[in-house]
Amino acid sequence: MNRQGILLASGNPGKLAELRRLSGDLPVDIRGPESLENGLPHVEETGSSFLENAVIKALSAADAAVADGGDDWALADDSGLAVDFLDGAPGIRSARFAGTQGEERDLANNTLLLEKLKGVPPEGRRASFWCVLALARPGQVLLAVEGSVEGRILDAPRGKGGFGYDPLFFHEPSDRTFAELEPEEKVSISHRSMAMTRLKTALESLVPQGTA
Ligand code: IMP
């Protein structure tokens, strides 16, 4: 049986492991960018939405996969936080919100977010995490799915787990911030896992088991 190879346009080993687990018994082989002789090309994320940026990255990675002589499908993700009071900001700028790079990045982003929400009461601090996954081959988007989870931005960080905006993101059904959840708990409710579950369903119709 032919298996469909998929290049993941992300160097994050956690994402690769999660995707592989999720793809289960589908006839797909998912590999990371370290398998490319020259790595992934740098792409400017010039889109104005998570979807546009995920598509830009997936199309570029699909070209790189083919140039490398390998499989011609590539999967990319884009994610971030949207705060209602800030009209959806930081949104696609979530990673670079405060303009700080390196180890201080998350702290700087969270500090800026708290400043922008200073004095806003709890009911005005609604926010959501978003994740879009796009699958493409050269010149063609095969599918795109999204996942989201709602919460509220606290006025001070809580918890030591997770990354990014997790310590400020309070998830009401869990009665904790994302940084206070066990990793397995976060994985089961996150925007990323919702998108991945939808990806699996979509992949099942794109790569029917037994016919690939
Ligand atoms: P990326 O798509 O992995 O590059 O993430 C973009 C940015 O969105 C990250 O740098 C974080 O600031 C934020 N973000 C995305 N997903 C999460 C999450 O699950 N928790 C906290 N922050 C996140």
Side-chain angles (χ1 to χ4, degrees), residues 172-184:
E172 263 107 12
S174 308
D175 199 30
R176 278 165 294 167
T177 68
F178 265 18
E180 292 175 310
L181 298 178
E182 294 299 326
E184 313 80 58

Side-chain angles (χ1 to χ4, degrees), residues 42-60 78 92-93 96:
H42 174 74
V43 274
E44 292 295 334
E45 297 185 23
T46 52
S48 55
S49 63
F50 297 124
L51 174 63
E52 284 180 17
N53 281 336
V55 163
I56 288 170
K57 288 185 268 189
L59 287 171
S60 161
D78 202 43
I92 56 169
R93 299 186 60 250
R96 51 187 193 277

Side-chain angles (χ1 to χ4, degrees), residues 6-72:
I6 299 178
L7 171 69
L8 178 65
S10 163
N12 183 328
K15 286 182 188 171
L16 185 62
E18 221 173 292
L19 269 173
R20 282 192 174 137
R21 201 173 330 121
L22 187 104
S23 61
D25 46 12
L26 285 175
V28 295
D29 288 321
I30 305 177
R31 65 193 173 110
E34 70 288 340
S35 61
L36 294 178
E37 198 179 330
N38 298 313
L40 280 177
H42 174 74
V43 274
E44 292 295 334
E45 297 185 23
T46 52
S48 55
S49 63
F50 297 124
L51 174 63
E52 284 180 17
N53 281 336
V55 163
I56 288 170
K57 288 185 268 189
L59 287 171
S60 161
D63 286 341
V66 171
D68 194 64
D71 310 305
D72 64 351

Side-chain angles (χ1 to χ4, degrees), residues 81-82 84 125-130 147-153 169-174 176 178 189-191 194:
L81 177 76
D84 293 1
R125 302 170 79 104
R126 307 293 323 160
S128 44
F129 275 126
W130 289 86
S148 65
V149 58
E150 299 209 347
R152 173 163 58 85
I153 303 301
F169 189 82
F170 186 79
H171 183 243
E172 263 107 12
S174 308
R176 278 165 294 167
F178 265 18
I189 55 173
S190 78
H191 47 308
M194 183 189 287

